[in-house]
């Protein structure tokens, strides 16, 4: 069975993606993939540490149950809940969510999932249920290489200070992600307990919830020991929004900066130059690898080694995500 499954490397901009696919349509069932994952678990995990990204293609992965089976065979049954997550998603079942629900004509900047939080997933799995007619790629970018591509001034400042993230979450629908959606509970006591346990400063105001926590700018990978870029400062800062939206927010919140839905400072509370934040976004996009999704594709990422985003798209697109 093994020789009917091939491994190819797609390389763009210093990011490698291992593509594992079946060459034989009579040997592409879900059971074939499951057996391959079981027999090659150690080798695949080594590959993941090397490239940070593996794509499984051409196997019969048809729905969320199949997706869950792949995840559990490879990583076991431990679940990671998207608690404290800032992206609007729909929870489809335990630990399977839609990918970020964001206007399809806009790109989502590259990021390492939940790098602003003290609880981040080690791995992400994406499953393509419906591929977009046009666009909709998930750009991938090597978080080790980013350190070499960014201006040394930016890297040094982030290494020295880290990042302070602030959020002001609404209590009502229609004004961004609510605090109840963010924490997957409407019990304020549970949220306060979570904040205490995770060093998140907070206060309630008129039904809204302010949160502030510090995170790293750069961290060492726990297994390889390599330094990796690991923060979401550019994505949290409102200069990442359109000029009109950012201008409007400045008018609204100039005297009450804590009320920005999201904001990022250096860890010492000083402003990060907007030119730095824009360069971070630009360097990620221009150094990314883009592949075209096909129905049934599963991509596994090491969340510390590879940042991901989303390109604009046309037509329906359903990409689901699970974290562990
Ligand atoms: Fe994400």
């Amino acid at each position: 069975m093994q020789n009917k499954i091939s491994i190819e490397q797609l390389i763009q901009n210093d990011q490698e993606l291992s593509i594992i696919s079946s060459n034989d349509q009579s040997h592409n069932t879900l059971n074939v993939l499951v057996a391959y994952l079981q027999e090659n678990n150690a080798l695949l995990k080594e590959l993941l540490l090397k490239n940070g990204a593996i794509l499984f293609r051409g196997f019969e992965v048809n729905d969320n149950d199949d997706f869950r089976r792949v995840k559990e065979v490879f990583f076991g049954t431990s679940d990671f809940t998207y608690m404290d997550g800032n992206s609007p998603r729909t929870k489809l079942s335990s630990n399977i969510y839609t990918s970020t629900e964001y206007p399809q004509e806009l790109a989502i900047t590259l990021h390492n999932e939940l790098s602003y939080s003290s609880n981040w997933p080690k791995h992400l799995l994406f499953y393509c249920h419906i591929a977009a007619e046009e666009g909709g790629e998930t750009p991938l970018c090597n978080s080790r290489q980013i350190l070499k591509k960014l201006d040394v001034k930016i890297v040094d400042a982030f290494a020295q200070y880290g990042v302070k993230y602030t959020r002001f979450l609404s209590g009502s629908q229609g004004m961004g992600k609510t605090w109840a959606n963010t924490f997957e509970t409407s019990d304020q006591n549970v949220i306060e307990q979570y904040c205490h346990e995770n060093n998140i400063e907070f206060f309630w105001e008129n039904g809204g919830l302010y949160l502030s926590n510090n995170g790293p700018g750069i961290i060492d990978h726990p297994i390889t020991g390599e330094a990796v870029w690991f923060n979401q400062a550019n994505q949290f800062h409102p200069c990442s929004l359109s000029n009109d939206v950012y201008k409007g927010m400045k008018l609204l919140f100039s005297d009450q900066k804590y009320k920005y839905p999201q904001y990022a400072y250096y860890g010492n509370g000083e402003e990060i130059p907007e030119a730095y934040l824009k360069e971070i976004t630009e360097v990620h996009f221009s150094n990314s690898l883009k592949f075209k999704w096909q129905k049934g594709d599963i991509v596994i990422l090491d969340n510390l080694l590879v940042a991901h985003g989303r390109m604009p798209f046309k037509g329906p697109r359903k990409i689901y995500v699970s974290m562990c």
Side-chain angles (χ1 to χ4, degrees):
M1 186 195 299
Q2 296 281 327
N3 57 10
K4 293 179 176 173
I5 293 179
S6 65
I7 305 184
E8 289 169 71
Q9 294 300 114
L10 176 63
I11 305 173
Q12 295 169 9
N13 295 318
D14 291 323
Q15 173 63 55
E16 285 192 47
L17 175 67
S18 304
I19 303 176
I20 298 182
S21 52
S22 170
N23 300 317
D24 183 339
Q25 289 202 344
S26 63
H27 284 281
N28 67 349
T29 62
L30 180 64
N31 283 339
V32 167
L33 176 57
V34 163
Y36 182 82
L37 291 168
Q38 286 168 330
E39 287 162 22
N40 297 281
N41 193 289
L43 177 131
L44 291 169
K45 285 191 174 149
E46 225 171 86
L47 200 56
L48 200 51
L49 281 177
K50 181 174 164 279
N51 301 331
I54 303 177
L55 164 61
F56 296 94
R57 170 162 285 172
F59 298 96
E60 291 177 352
V61 183
N62 293 318
D63 55 31
N64 278 342
D65 289 337
D66 295 348
F67 178 37
R68 180 187 307 286
R69 185 150 174 235
V70 169
K71 183 220 152 209
E72 291 185 355
V73 163
F74 197 56
F75 288 115
T77 54
S78 69
D79 265 353
F80 182 95
T81 303
Y82 190 59
M83 189 161 177
D84 193 19
N86 68 330
S87 291
R89 308 176 184 281
T90 303
K91 189 172 187 173
L92 301 171
S93 64
S94 147
N95 196 23
I96 296 184
Y97 298 82
T98 57
S99 56
T100 299
E101 293 159 10
Y102 193 67
Q104 64 187 61
E105 65 277 14
L106 301 176
I108 297 176
T109 50
L110 283 84
H111 57 283
N112 305 90
E113 199 69 35
L114 285 161
S115 56
Y116 62 86
S117 164
S118 54
N119 293 313
W120 56 70
K122 293 188 184 78
H123 297 102
L124 301 181
L125 296 94
F126 292 97
Y127 156 58
C128 177
H129 193 58
I130 299 177
E133 282 163 20
E134 209 179 290
E137 298 92 345
T138 296
L140 304 176
C141 183
N142 188 321
S143 299
R144 297 175 277 216
Q145 290 297 329
I146 280 298
L147 290 179
K148 296 176 190 153
K149 311 264 170 154
L150 283 170
D151 189 312
V152 72
K153 285 198 304 274
I154 300 178
V155 174
D156 286 351
F158 275 76
Q160 184 174 357
Y161 300 119
V163 180
K164 174 182 171 179
Y165 301 96
T166 70
R167 285 175 279 172
F168 194 87
L169 305 178
S170 165
S172 39
Q173 298 288 346
M175 296 187 58
K177 202 174 174 187
T178 65
W179 50 260
N181 282 342
T182 299
F183 287 94
E184 296 189 357
T185 177
S186 54
D187 186 335
Q188 296 190 354
N189 292 324
V190 171
I191 294 171
E192 291 183 9
Q193 181 69 21
Y194 181 90
C195 289
H196 286 305
E197 287 170 2
N198 290 282
N199 292 322
I200 303 174
E201 284 176 34
F202 69 93
F203 61 80
W204 301 92
E205 187 179 277
N206 299 329
L209 174 63
Y210 169 83
L211 302 165
S212 167
N213 66 284
N214 278 44
I218 293 164
I219 58 171
D220 292 337
H221 191 282
I223 299 176
T224 69
E226 296 157 289
V228 292
W229 183 257
F230 195 72
N231 68 78
Q232 281 169 256
N234 58 321
Q235 205 178 39
F236 259 65
H237 196 283
C239 74
S240 67
L241 302 168
S242 72
N243 284 340
D244 287 349
V245 173
Y246 186 27
K247 259 190 207 164
M249 283 189 173
K250 275 182 176 167
L251 285 174
L252 263 178
F253 304 131
S254 58
D255 297 333
Q256 295 178 299
K257 280 182 76 181
Y258 70 94
K259 280 201 169 171
Y260 274 97
Q262 296 190 146
Y263 208 95
Y265 305 85
Y266 283 130
N268 61 3
E270 287 179 15
E271 292 281 350
I272 305 169
E274 289 182 15
Y276 285 14
L277 296 162
K278 287 182 175 161
E279 182 175 334
I280 293 163
T281 296
E282 162 55 27
V283 167
H284 271 89
F285 274 117
S286 60
N287 287 284
S288 65
L289 171 151
K290 296 186 195 81
F291 65 95
K292 183 93 187 123
W293 281 109
Q294 292 180 15
K295 181 173 169 48
D297 280 353
I298 287 187
V299 167
I300 301 179
L301 300 183
D302 183 309
N303 186 36
L304 277 73
L305 296 180
V306 175
H308 64 281
R310 191 207 69 197
M311 302 310 289
F313 64 95
K314 289 189 179 150
R317 175 186 187 268
K318 290 196 185 305
I319 305 288
Y320 301 141
V321 62
S322 187
M323 308 177 200
C324 55

